[in-house]
Amino acid sequence: MERIEGIIRVEERGEGSKSQGTVSVLTTNEGKEYILYRAGMLAQNDPFFTRFNAAEVIVNGTPEETGYMCVSSVQAEENIYDVPEEPEAPVASTPMFIGTTPVQATEPQQSKPKRLPRKLKKILKKNLKK
């Protein structure tokens, strides 16, 4: 685990693609950039890092060769923010679409009872009369 000083910027990436969303980027004083993420979470749309946008911080975590960094805590000013063990759900930056139609929550529809075939109705009527 390393302690890396820098500035966090929350920026939009992947515009027009399936992975479109905001990511948090830590830029060090030497100009290195790391995309921040928490264990068990995707880097896109993570609400944990939004409070640190444009702030000078010290990030404790494990940098990877891929340019990502798995964060365990962030120190901003004199406060230390540990990564919660149970991550909250990511925040969608844009509405979800399927094709060109926005997805809307709807209540389940009540299906009409199915009608019996005519032959079965006749057989039942005969049997009920007996």
Side-chain angles (χ1 to χ4, degrees), residues 31-46:
K32 270 189 153 179
E33 287 190 347
Y34 296 98
I35 296 175
L36 305 177
Y37 74 96
R38 298 183 287 162
M41 293 283 293
L42 294 174
Q44 280 81 12
N45 304 323
D46 191 343

Side-chain angles (χ1 to χ4, degrees), residues 26 29 40 49 65 76 78 89 100 105-106 108 111 118 120-121 126:
L26 174 69
N29 297 335
F49 297 108
E65 291 178 16
E78 295 190 16
T100 57
T106 58
S111 60
R118 288 183 191 171
L120 185 56
K121 281 185 181 180
K126 283 183 183 179

Side-chain angles (χ1 to χ4, degrees), residues 57-88:
V57 296
I58 299 172
V59 177
N60 295 309
T62 308
E64 301 170 359
E65 291 178 16
T66 58
Y68 285 81
M69 182 174 189
C70 184
V71 176
S72 60
S73 68
V74 177
Q75 181 177 347
E77 298 172 0
E78 295 190 16
N79 298 321
I80 297 176
Y81 300 89
D82 290 323
V83 171
E85 287 184 29
E86 294 294 323
E88 63 274 9

Side-chain angles (χ1 to χ4, degrees), residues 1 28 51 69 116 123:
M1 187 165 314
T28 66
R51 69 182 102 182
M69 182 174 189
L116 295 173
I123 294 171

